[in-house]
Amino acid sequence: LHESLVCDVLSTFSNVPSEDVPVTFSSLGRAELKLNFVRRDVTMYGRASLIGKSIVLDSGVGEVGCGRVAFPDPSSVITSVASFSGDVIGFVFFEEVLGRAEVTVTIHLQSVATNVNVELYLVSSASKMCSKDDLYNPTSVSLSDVEYPMNCAQSDYKCALGDLTGRHGSMLIFSQSATTLVVSDVLAHASIFEGILNSKLVVARKEDGLVLGCALVESVHSREAFVLVGEDAVMRIVQVSPLFPSTLEVDFSALASNSFEFYFGSISGNGQSVDDKDHF
């Protein structure tokens, strides 16, 4: 399992270096195609949740497959995002399954200048300076309590809603490549009143609090597109979130008397076209 999203599960992350998570599975030399494992070190909850990680199938001589550990029903997921372009570039996605306690937070950031240790926190949408003094705290947790940092680190429910770093720690981001971190959070919901939607997400330098980026948290709506030949729709493409693969529905019945070839040209992470095409 990998901390980063890899293997072209999403082309956005195709060049993200992976960092091994200390959880591995082995067929133990057996040839069965169906195997069951019971592992106490594997969890879908809390800070060690595997949701959002990538799983790689390795034959011993190279990768043979890769997929993202994701929710089984993407249509039930509410996705929101904060996008950055300035001293830091990238985005932070919040994925929430309705009726479940935890939100999957995928952080994908890169520093423009130098490697830097950063803190992430949410402030009110009315905050003009994106200062930590405006930390989003709708439940009025006492931030002046000298034991607040310790209490927040020990229990998410003793944190201000906006204090992401208090719950998950700071993050080192690099200038040469983007850093991806996936965490589970019990407070950063978008579906509730006084949730994270329309708040602002701040990326600040840890050593002195300098704000490197401040972006509005907005809803991400599913996208749907059609491929038309004349007046006939021959393909429907649906993607419920940038973090989920697209679903393609193909119907050539209206074109039975004709012969057509369709293809999609891939775009690499640097924006250049890739020669290989997927033909239909």
Side-chain angles (χ1 to χ4, degrees):
L1 286 156
H2 292 265
E3 185 70 41
S4 302
L5 308 181
V6 293
C7 300
D8 277 327
V9 176
L10 297 170
S11 60
T12 306
F13 298 106
S14 60
N15 296 317
V16 176
S18 63
E19 178 182 343
D20 288 340
V21 174
V23 176
T24 58
F25 299 93
S26 170
S27 63
L28 304 177
R30 295 175 294 184
E32 291 94 336
L33 294 179
K34 295 183 179 179
L35 295 169
N36 293 322
F37 297 93
V38 177
R39 296 290 294 264
R40 294 185 181 276
D41 55 353
V42 174
T43 180
M44 301 298 230
Y45 298 93
R47 302 183 185 192
S49 171
L50 299 186
I51 296 293
K53 304 294 191 297
S54 291
I55 184 167
V56 177
L57 305 179
D58 194 327
S59 65
V61 294
E63 293 178 0
V64 295
C66 179
R68 185 169 184 259
V69 182
F71 303 107
D73 181 12
S75 63
S76 68
V77 179
I78 296 175
T79 305
S80 49
V81 64
S83 301
F84 297 90
S85 59
D87 293 330
V88 291
I89 55 177
F91 45 80
V92 177
F93 280 106
F94 300 84
E95 292 173 282
E96 174 186 352
V97 177
L98 291 175
R100 296 192 182 181
E102 298 197 335
V103 177
T104 297
V105 184
T106 301
I107 305 164
H108 185 76
L109 296 173
Q110 181 175 349
S111 171
V112 170
T114 59
N115 301 347
V116 60
N117 202 11
V118 297
E119 297 182 327
L120 276 73
Y121 55 87
L122 293 160
V123 298
S124 165
S125 59
S127 177
K128 295 182 178 180
M129 302 301 293
C130 296
S131 167
K132 200 169 185 178
D133 292 337
D134 298 324
L135 187 68
Y136 190 39
N137 185 21
T139 55
S140 301
V141 174
S142 177
L143 303 177
S144 59
D145 188 336
V146 294
E147 295 185 350
Y148 169 78
M150 180 181 67
N151 292 337
C152 178
Q154 292 178 347
S155 172
D156 294 347
Y157 294 101
K158 294 182 179 180
C159 288
L161 188 155
D163 195 356
L164 292 170
T165 291
R167 295 193 290 280
H168 305 292
S170 58
M171 177 181 180
L172 179 63
I173 60 175
F174 300 92
S175 59
Q176 297 300 316
S177 62
T179 302
T180 302
L181 177 66
V182 182
V183 298
S184 293
D185 193 281
V186 297
L187 300 181
H189 290 270
S191 63
I192 62 174
F193 179 68
E194 293 188 324
I196 64 171
L197 280 181
N198 298 319
S199 64
K200 294 178 181 178
L201 181 62
V202 181
V203 179
R205 193 163 61 191
K206 182 179 180 181
E207 62 176 301
D208 57 7
L210 177 67
V211 174
L212 303 176
C214 183
L216 190 68
V217 179
E218 302 175 287
S219 294
V220 176
H221 300 289
S222 62
R223 293 188 173 184
E224 183 175 5
F226 294 89
V227 177
L228 301 176
V229 176
E231 296 181 354
D232 298 313
V234 299
M235 185 178 297
R236 176 174 176 261
I237 307 169
V238 180
Q239 188 175 18
V240 298
S241 161
L243 293 180
F244 285 97
S246 297
T247 299
L248 285 73
E249 300 174 1
V250 181
D251 182 1
F252 294 111
S253 58
L255 306 175
S257 60
N258 299 290
S259 176
F260 292 89
E261 181 181 276
F262 302 89
Y263 65 84
F264 290 92
S266 300
I267 301 297
S268 65
N270 58 14
Q272 297 177 342
S273 295
V274 178
D275 291 337
D276 294 335
K277 297 179 176 67
D278 297 320
H279 292 265
F280 294 88

